[in-house]
Amino acid sequence: MEEELVERIVRDPNYQALKERRTRYGWVLTIAMLVVYYGYVLLIAFDKELLAARIGSGVMTWGIPLGFGVIIFTIIITGIYLRRANSEFDDLSEKIRREALK
Amino acid sequence: MTVKILRKGLIAAALTVPGAALADVIQGGEKQATNWTAIVMFAVFVLGTLYITKWAASRTKSAADFYTAGGGITGFQNGLAIAGDYMSAASFLGISAAVMTTGYDGLIYSIGFLVGWPILTFLLAERLRNLGRFTFADVAAFRFAQAPVRIFAASGTLVVVAFYLIAQMVGAGSLIQLLFGLDYWIAVVIVGALMMIYVLFGGMTATTWVQIIKACLLLGGASFMAFMVMWRYGFSPEAMFADAVRIKTEIATASGKTAEEAAVAGQSIMGPGTFIKDPISAISFGMALMFGTAGLPHILMRFFTVPSAKEARKSVMWATGWIGYFYLLTFIIGFGAIAFVLTNPEFLDGTGALVGGSNMAAVHLAHAVGGNVFLGFISAVAFATILAVVAGLTLSGASAVSHDLYATVIKNGNPAPGSELRVSRITTIVLGIVAVVLGIAFKNQNIAFMVSLAFAVAASANFPVLFMSVLWKDCTTRGAVVGGFLGLISSVVLTVLSPSVWEATLGNPAGSAPFPYTSPALFSMTLAFLGIWLVSKMDNGARARIDRAGFLAQQVRSETGIGAAQASSH
């Protein structure tokens, strides 16, 4: 890419907004995922009894909804990112593209 | 016993060594009576995929067609293909067997394979698509000196591909001789030959469609099994779990335990067992799975088959959804196997173990819920699954040699027209032959460590270099290469010194392994990141200045996609 084009894009406020917002959002969600997964793993490592404890009178334990919860969370958090990226980030990208290739 | 099978005693080995589950459970088991239903169904699959390969071959003219299907795959299709690439026979049979044997531990294990996907989505997927063309080395070497970074990336790719491929080939041989009643070597040769045909003639287009078809068959078959299990319990999870606990308690009682001990053993499947031992092993193994997913070359390569960053993002969303759904199914299938398989004398041998080994849990369940025809179907799907995975691996290995080493390093980015494609086809043949030879050579070896080693290398070598080169402005060529090789070498060496190789494969006495933890990732990843950071910081050469100056343009392209290679050549 020519330097002149790069500089023009870098000066575009839309580009700065896209870069900052997407990077921050990406990191926030990454940290959320890390906390959930390693929280789950450390919970098992340090307190197996907690997950093996029964919820009610049946055989169901806290571990089952918690484990399924991590799987569902993984899918949902990906969906949450996608929603914002598909609307806000894609709109910004489109504006930058139109501005840069004018 | 109507079906005569000898076990090799690998039953229940599944989760005693975490990570062993994958390969361990797919080894073992002797030849079975020829299963004609399965063979006919598999033949239909092969004919269908060969027909697709013929169609794909007519569209595979340029290197871009060969590596990335011309960039014309949609996000939805690519998501299915990624899922098809990722859901191996080992994870289908291995995880359901692990759930049947240990219950909850199987779930912990499968969760580890899922949690890497969001990270890949949030930080890398779109940027990868915007920066790369054919291989992840395109991205890692974007602003760096091409030769050293490409040599590193090709090494990382080939090491991951080699270990993953051997594990798949040995698994394929054992599984197919068990399911189809074919000789081990015939099974390995068939897998190698079909994979070569798909990749050689149909390139990425054929590979993608084989993966999509296989993903649909596997998801469909697994959904049916889970549905039949839940149906029996009136769709009440509590009823299913209660029945499984009751059966496990009865089995424990029958083995001579007191009523109290048996009740504890029965309920133990509902909570964590021995899978996670110490926190360090737990974190380290979790890191290998999580970040390894974001460093597997055959998965990363799939992001270049879609036309834009938006489609790349959609593909991971679909892939994550399908894979997560699949792991929920395998959990139900494992519990279903406790109820349908462990209680049916037809599936058990004299000692109460599964005919064919515990890896047969899902296969026997298929027989129990769907009769002979569905058994044939699931066996054929298992075969197809291996084919799809090895085809993706081979294509990725071939592209590392032809695109990274031959075209970029040897020919300085200017290969003669058509020669790059020729080199990748020759490499495909060589890789196919090597895979068959190694698959036969490693028969009866304990290869349980190989898949976890592939993930550890991907997490410790490929991922740190990719991550730092894309996101850290001060990263330099020297830093990336030194740090990357540190991660590569340390992850391999520490794995060899860990119990799963030192004791289980090399036969040293238990407890003698110099590296006591399950996975090296915590240490080798740290070493790689530290290496990249420290060497880059100290690097003040002329090349380092070019590397750093190149970051701004790289960032603009990675964020906006402006100037990105239009993978589509049409």
Side-chain angles (χ1 to χ4, degrees):
Chain A
M1 213 172 349
E2 323 94 79
E3 263 172 55
E4 186 261 336
L5 180 63
V6 170
E7 272 167 30
R8 209 165 67 217
I9 295 172
V10 171
R11 278 198 307 270
D12 184 343
N14 282 325
Y15 172 73
Q16 293 298 335
L18 175 72
K19 192 184 74 179
E20 274 156 34
R21 283 187 221 164
R22 181 160 58 191
T23 306
R24 193 179 328 118
Y25 200 51
W27 278 109
V28 166
L29 295 181
T30 299
I31 289 165
M33 188 68 235
L34 293 175
V35 167
V36 166
Y37 177 60
Y38 289 103
Y40 173 72
V41 166
L42 288 177
L43 198 62
I44 298 169
F46 285 108
D47 193 359
K48 285 194 173 55
E49 300 307 313
L50 188 78
L51 276 89
R54 298 177 189 217
I55 295 178
S57 54
V59 297
M60 185 68 87
T61 55
W62 284 105
I64 305 278
L66 217 61
F68 272 51
V70 175
I71 293 185
I72 306 289
F73 177 85
T74 308
I75 299 173
I76 288 178
I77 197 174
T78 314
I80 289 175
Y81 174 79
L82 214 74
R83 247 179 91 119
R84 184 161 172 197
N86 278 346
S87 51
E88 185 185 337
F89 299 157
D90 279 351
D91 289 349
L92 278 173
S93 294
E94 192 47 47
K95 277 185 198 151
I96 298 163
R97 184 180 295 268
R98 241 179 296 145
E99 194 67 26
L101 305 177
K102 197 160 54 180
Chain B
M1 232 11 58
T2 46
V3 192
K4 281 208 165 62
I5 296 176
L6 296 169
R7 287 174 303 111
K8 275 195 194 150
L10 281 161
I11 296 158
L15 286 178
T16 46
V17 181
L22 275 174
D24 221 16
V25 289
I26 53 173
Q27 282 182 283
E30 295 290 324
K31 211 176 140 179
Q32 190 176 353
T34 312
N35 179 343
W36 286 106
T37 329
I39 291 177
V40 168
M41 291 210 189
F42 181 66
V44 171
F45 171 84
V46 169
L47 284 177
T49 48
L50 286 178
Y51 186 77
I52 288 173
T53 307
K54 192 172 159 241
W55 163 79
S58 69
R59 299 167 50 113
T60 304
K61 300 207 168 61
S62 65
D65 298 329
F66 185 80
Y67 295 131
T68 63
I73 308 286
T74 68
F76 174 72
Q77 292 167 341
N78 195 37
L80 265 177
I82 292 174
D85 220 345
Y86 201 65
M87 302 180 296
S88 59
S91 62
F92 176 52
L93 302 176
I95 292 175
S96 52
V99 173
M100 185 195 71
T101 325
T102 64
Y104 195 77
D105 274 354
L107 182 66
I108 305 175
Y109 188 63
S110 60
I111 288 173
F113 282 98
L114 185 66
V115 290
W117 292 101
I119 312 276
L120 185 56
T121 320
F122 304 152
L123 299 178
L124 288 173
E126 296 165 48
R127 294 174 173 122
L128 265 174
R129 177 61 197 88
N130 283 339
L131 290 175
R133 252 180 105 207
F134 299 148
T135 63
F136 91 90
D138 289 341
V139 182
F142 191 83
R143 63 188 155 117
F144 297 146
Q146 293 297 311
V149 180
R150 298 257 179 191
I151 290 170
F152 158 75
S155 315
T157 301
L158 290 173
V159 170
V160 171
V161 165
F163 285 114
Y164 218 123
L165 207 51
I166 295 172
Q168 293 293 329
M169 289 308 254
V170 174
S174 317
L175 188 69
I176 289 160
Q177 86 175 357
L178 206 58
L179 295 179
F180 289 75
L182 296 172
D183 279 330
Y184 179 93
W185 72 270
I186 297 179
V188 170
V189 169
I190 292 178
V191 170
L194 282 171
M195 151 192 113
M196 273 194 265
I197 294 173
Y198 294 147
V199 177
L200 268 184
F201 300 108
M204 183 53 104
T205 310
T207 304
T208 302
W209 283 101
V210 169
Q211 287 166 345
I212 290 175
I213 293 170
K214 162 262 168 119
C216 294
L217 292 174
L218 185 57
L219 287 166
S223 298
F224 174 73
M225 286 163 75
F227 176 83
M228 292 304 280
V229 170
M230 293 309 292
W231 189 41
R232 167 156 153 179
Y233 293 108
F235 298 94
S236 155
E238 173 66 30
M240 178 181 82
F241 290 134
D243 205 32
V245 169
R246 181 184 61 77
I247 292 160
K248 283 280 186 180
T249 310
E250 277 170 15
I251 293 172
T253 311
S255 72
K257 288 202 166 75
T258 66
E260 204 172 307
E261 285 167 352
V264 171
Q267 179 69 24
S268 73
I269 57 169
M270 297 299 291
T274 53
F275 175 49
I276 288 191
K277 290 183 292 243
D278 59 302
I280 295 196
S281 280
I283 297 235
S284 195
F285 191 59
M287 283 171 74
L289 294 186
M290 187 180 231
F291 299 107
T293 303
L296 291 174
H298 62 296
I299 298 288
L300 295 173
M301 191 179 182
R302 293 228 52 96
F303 289 105
F304 307 122
T305 65
V306 291
S308 65
K310 190 185 176 86
E311 295 297 315
R313 187 197 301 146
K314 277 191 198 161
S315 11
V316 231
M317 179 73 237
W318 281 112
T320 312
W322 292 124
I323 296 167
Y325 170 66
F326 174 72
Y327 288 143
L328 293 178
L329 294 178
T330 50
F331 190 64
I332 297 171
I333 289 170
F335 269 88
I338 295 177
F340 286 79
V341 177
L342 288 182
T343 54
N344 188 338
E346 196 189 330
F347 302 130
L348 304 173
D349 65 9
T351 63
L354 245 58
V355 172
S358 67
N359 54 310
M360 295 291 280
V363 175
H364 289 320
L365 181 66
H367 197 182
V369 300
N372 258 326
V373 175
F374 192 65
L375 170 70
F377 175 77
I378 284 294
S379 304
V381 168
F383 202 155
T385 287
I386 292 171
L387 274 178
V389 175
V390 294
L393 285 167
T394 305
L395 186 57
S396 154
S399 64
V401 172
S402 60
H403 181 62
D404 296 331
L405 292 182
Y406 172 78
T408 315
V409 175
I410 297 173
K411 294 288 173 188
N412 264 322
N414 290 310
S419 68
E420 185 174 340
L421 199 52
R422 197 164 58 246
V423 171
S424 51
R425 288 194 159 128
I426 295 168
T427 316
T428 304
I429 297 175
V430 173
L431 276 174
I433 294 169
V434 169
V436 168
V437 170
L438 290 180
I440 291 170
F442 276 88
K443 185 191 178 186
N444 299 334
Q445 297 291 311
N446 184 334
I447 48 122
F449 65 92
M450 281 189 182
V451 169
S452 28
L453 176 58
F455 271 83
V457 172
S460 315
N462 303 353
F463 175 74
V465 170
L466 194 59
F467 183 90
M468 294 295 256
S469 69
V470 172
L471 296 170
W472 187 44
K473 65 179 192 318
D474 286 336
C475 188
T476 69
T477 303
R478 197 178 294 163
V481 172
V482 172
F485 273 114
L486 273 177
L488 178 62
I489 295 164
S490 61
S491 55
V492 174
V493 170
L494 289 177
T495 302
V496 171
L497 299 179
S498 75
S500 58
V501 178
W502 191 258
E503 292 161 22
T505 305
L506 299 177
N508 290 302
S512 67
F515 180 73
Y517 305 112
T518 314
S519 167
L522 176 59
F523 305 92
S524 49
M525 263 182 85
T526 310
L527 201 60
F529 274 109
L530 268 181
I532 296 172
W533 179 76
L534 201 65
V535 174
S536 295
K537 276 288 177 200
M538 295 188 326
D539 190 1
N540 286 312
R543 180 66 233 181
R545 279 195 291 280
I546 303 172
D547 295 339
R548 291 189 187 112
F551 183 75
L552 195 66
Q554 173 189 295
Q555 193 182 32
V556 166
R557 176 159 150 186
S558 79
E559 294 288 342
T560 64
I562 295 171
Q566 292 304 313
S568 176
S569 59
H570 305 292

